[in-house]
Structure formats: C-alpha cells, structure tokens
Amino acid sequence: MSVNPLPARGLLGDTAARDYSEKLRRFNAFAAPELRAAIAGLGLRPGMRVLDAGCGTGEALAWLAAEVGRHGNVVGVDLSRAHVEAARALGDAVQADVAALPFAAGTFDLIWSVNVVNHLRAPRDGVRALASLLRDGGRLALGQSSFLPDMVFAWDARLERVVNEAVRAYYRDKYAVDERGLAAVRATVGLLREEGLHDVRAQTFSIDRISPVNPDDERYIAGTLFRDSWGSRLATYMDADDYDAMMRLCDPVNAAFALRRPDFHFLQTFTLTTGTLSAK
Ligand SMILES: C[S@@+](CC[C@H](N)C(=O)[O-])C[C@H]1O[C@@H](n2cnc3c(N)ncnc32)[C@H](O)[C@@H]1O
C-alpha cells in the first residue's frame, strides 16, 4: 500500500523500487547484540506506541515489540516496496516516505530510526516530520553505524587507510556525495537540537568481533563488506599491489583470509542519539 507520494531518489540512491534486503538482513544479524542493547537501554515500557522509521527488512520491529509487550504497538515504514514486504514477515509495516507519513501528530512515544537520515536529501525536513509525530514527552532515537569500519586490518593500518580512501572515492563517484555528506553520524546531535528536541543524549556502542568469527559475522564481513561493498568495485581506486593484497585478505578460500588470522579484530561503532519533545 502506498499512501502518500514517494520521493524519486534519495541521496544514497534509495527509491521505492530499490531492494537491498539481503544486505540489511546480514547487517541486522551481525549487529543484533549491539542493536538490541541499544533498544534495551531506551527504557521502553509495556503499552508504548513505537514507530520504526525506515524499518528496512524489519528486524527491529520484533525487538521493539518485545519491549512494549502485547498492549503496546510497533509499526514500521519504509520507502522500498521490497523492504516493506520483507518487514511484514516480522511485524506491521507500511510503504511511505518519512517526510509524509500517514499518522496523526502526537501518535508515538518513541520513534526509532537507524541509518536512515543519512539517506535523505533533506535530513532536517525528515527529522522535523518525525518529531511532529511524537506525543509530548516522546523521544526520537536516531541510530547511525559508522560509515567505514573503525578497524578491519588490525596488523596493517596503511592498507586499511588506502582501502578507506578507495571506498570514499567510490562513493563520491557513484552518488556524488563528498566527505561531508558521508559523515552523517557526526551530525545527529545537531539535527535533534536544531529541531527543538530537548535532553539530547548520545551513546556509542562498539561492535567488536575477533577470530574465530561465527557464521553470521562471517556472512556480513566477508560477504556484505569484503565482497559486495569492496571487492572489484575498488580495483580502479587502488594501485595494483594494494588491491591484490586486499583481495587476498578478503577471500575466504585464500590462505591469507583475514578472518582466519589469530590477530583478526574488527571494530565498527553504532551511535544512538536521542532527543525528547517537550511542550513549551
Ligand atoms: C540503510 S537502510 C536501514 C534500514 C533499517 N533501519 C536497518 O537499520 O536495517 C535505509 C532504509 O531507509 C529507507 N529509506 C530511504 N529513504 C527513505 C524515505 N524517504 N522514506 C522512508 N524510508 C526511506 C530505505 O528504503 C532503507 O530501507
């Protein structure tokens, strides 16, 4: 069901027809312990009404529902038809644009929105639209995982820097976004304050994974990150020796595969920023 006009194309290429469900499933399986810890820390109570804005494939719908119980209510919205269909297997979900949502003002106790505002061409408009749906005293929780992992090749900081620079160059070319556009995690405190939210707080959760890694972690790191986000996409952005070294470390059947090393330590951060709507 599409209830309002949907935007043509977001900053990072999102459309109603775009489908990256598998990538979202893998990230949520990978980061589930940290995401659930972030949700647990929100102090949700039974009976609360919660919106997951930009719910993707809906994993958080089930996690949020567990906090608010059967007298509570959790609904997700997402622009992508395919993501909404996947989310409906886990909860209630509607296809809509966060800037034009089919809910009355003051509906929600909490709005959870993870890795979404950095996809919007007008993040302030999105945050304003979401804040308008909060009841007095309700909270907006914006989550952002770091755009680049904070550590992947613990034993080779130079190669890691070269790879990160290649990823930035790739995104700059693909989406025409520069360093400022990619650093959304740095801006959420300001976004919440600019929209008049009070009691703004930020907490960062570290996602540490060391060898031996479990199958969900390997699917995300080797599949979603190494193969689908890096891999051959980066060939033209790196010199041949660095590219070959990276590919050896990223290849599960190569003896040099990073995840089999005893010194493998992956680190990524997830920052949750919250703000409260209060009557003036
Ligand atoms: C990086 S994904 C995050 C999904 C989910 N929150 C999660 O953490 O797995 C961004 C999501 O925002 C959705 N999205 C992008 N622009 C949107 C918009 N204007 N309105 C609603 N959803 C949007 C995309 O379809 C995608 O599902």
Side-chain angles (χ1 to χ4, degrees):
M1 174 185 61
S2 174
V3 283
N4 275 311
L6 297 167
R9 196 171 189 82
L11 182 70
L12 298 181
D14 291 296
T15 65
R18 192 167 177 211
D19 179 4
Y20 47 97
S21 305
E22 190 51 34
K23 181 178 176 187
L24 296 178
R25 282 199 194 92
R26 287 204 198 126
F27 176 72
N28 281 283
F30 171 67
E34 290 77 12
L35 294 170
R36 298 200 72 163
I39 287 174
L42 287 169
L44 289 170
R45 291 190 304 279
M48 281 186 160
R49 290 161 301 172
V50 177
L51 171 68
D52 184 351
C55 63
T57 42
E59 287 75 9
L61 296 177
W63 301 335
L64 292 161
E67 301 286 321
V68 299
R70 64 193 173 89
H71 296 299
N73 181 265
V74 179
V75 61
V77 296
D78 201 280
L79 177 64
S80 156
R81 192 177 314 114
H83 297 177
V84 168
E85 274 166 21
R88 285 186 181 140
L90 297 170
D92 191 9
V94 175
Q95 189 185 12
D97 176 6
V98 292
L101 291 176
F103 304 107
T107 300
F108 296 103
D109 297 292
L110 179 94
I111 299 176
W112 167 262
S113 189
V114 169
N115 292 334
V116 175
V117 292
N118 61 321
H119 284 238
L120 305 179
R121 288 197 181 277
R124 286 184 63 167
D125 293 349
V127 168
R128 187 173 311 131
L130 293 176
S132 75
L133 300 179
L134 292 170
R135 68 157 170 84
D136 187 26
R139 281 174 302 157
L140 179 53
L142 300 179
Q144 290 286 153
S145 48
S146 52
F147 169 63
L148 297 168
D150 300 88
M151 184 164 69
V152 182
F153 303 143
W155 55 91
D156 191 342
R158 194 200 70 86
L159 182 61
E160 193 167 286
R161 174 180 54 76
V162 169
V163 173
N164 285 344
E165 283 166 3
V167 175
R168 287 182 194 283
Y170 171 83
Y171 270 84
R172 192 188 56 224
D173 289 354
K174 182 171 182 194
Y175 296 117
V177 281
D178 65 11
E179 184 97 33
R180 294 186 192 92
L182 295 172
V185 68
R186 300 159 63 91
T188 50
V189 166
L191 272 177
L192 294 177
R193 289 203 166 127
E194 280 163 17
E195 295 313 316
L197 293 165
H198 297 270
D199 192 22
V200 172
R201 302 172 188 208
Q203 185 179 5
T204 295
F205 298 79
S206 69
I207 304 172
D208 290 279
R209 301 290 183 267
I210 65 171
S211 50
V213 296
N214 72 37
D216 275 344
D217 295 346
E218 182 159 334
R219 255 190 298 281
Y220 176 73
I221 298 171
T224 308
L225 184 68
F226 288 173
R227 187 192 58 223
D228 302 341
S229 297
W230 298 359
S232 56
R233 285 169 155 199
L234 302 187
T236 55
Y237 296 99
M238 296 171 72
D239 79 34
D241 288 347
D242 286 335
Y243 178 73
D244 289 346
M246 177 194 77
M247 291 303 267
R248 279 193 297 277
L249 288 166
C250 293
D251 179 358
V253 299
N254 193 297
F257 183 44
L259 276 64
R260 310 264 186 268
R261 292 176 60 114
D263 53 357
F264 180 72
H265 180 183
F266 173 95
L267 169 63
Q268 182 167 19
T269 56
F270 172 75
T271 298
L272 187 67
T273 315
T274 58
T276 303
L277 184 80
S278 58
K280 299 274 158 41

